[in-house]
């Protein structure tokens, strides 16, 4: 069963360009991680004011192994500037018929 990780990014007004530049310049290491399928950065348009980083994996275990292996970042500066993250995880439900 596929697993989808969604990271919701809260940010101060005016930081949109910085958010998009950060992800455009992101290291491609995740692209070669075991079980990695896809990455998307979703820009809010209506109904929501957070960016969403969406990754799809073969399994939750593959996502967790990648997450556990990556170096911890220093997010203190981001938090002081009003940026924060919320991490969400979902199983993809196979629909029959």
């Amino acid at each position: 069963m596929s697993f989808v990780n969604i990271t919701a990014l809260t940010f101060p007004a005016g930081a949109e360009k910085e958010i998009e530049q950060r992800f455009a310049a992101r290291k491609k290491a995740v692209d070669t991680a075991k079980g990695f399928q896809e990455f998307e950065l979703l820009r809010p348009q209506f109904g929501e004011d957070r960016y969403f980083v969406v990754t799809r994996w073969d399994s939750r275990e593959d996502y967790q192994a990648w997450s556990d292996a990556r170096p911890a970042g220093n997010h203190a500066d981001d938090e002081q500037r009003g940026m924060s993250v919320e991490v969400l995880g979902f199983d993809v439900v196979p629909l029959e018929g």
Side-chain angles (χ1 to χ4, degrees), residues 2-7 23 26 28-42 52-59 62-63 66 92:
S2 290
F3 179 77
V4 175
N5 171 258
I6 300 175
T7 302
F23 284 96
R26 73 183 175 90
K28 302 290 184 182
V30 69
D31 296 352
T32 60
K34 179 184 179 292
F36 174 79
Q37 295 177 4
E38 184 177 28
F39 172 94
E40 293 180 306
L41 177 64
L42 305 179
F52 288 91
V53 178
V54 181
T55 56
R56 182 179 291 261
W57 300 83
D58 289 341
S59 69
D62 288 333
Y63 164 76
W66 170 79
V92 176

Side-chain angles (χ1 to χ4, degrees), residues 13-31:
E16 296 87 352
K17 186 175 182 179
E18 177 186 351
I19 297 279
E20 292 180 23
Q21 286 175 341
R22 280 187 186 191
F23 284 96
R26 73 183 175 90
K27 292 187 170 126
K28 302 290 184 182
V30 69
D31 296 352

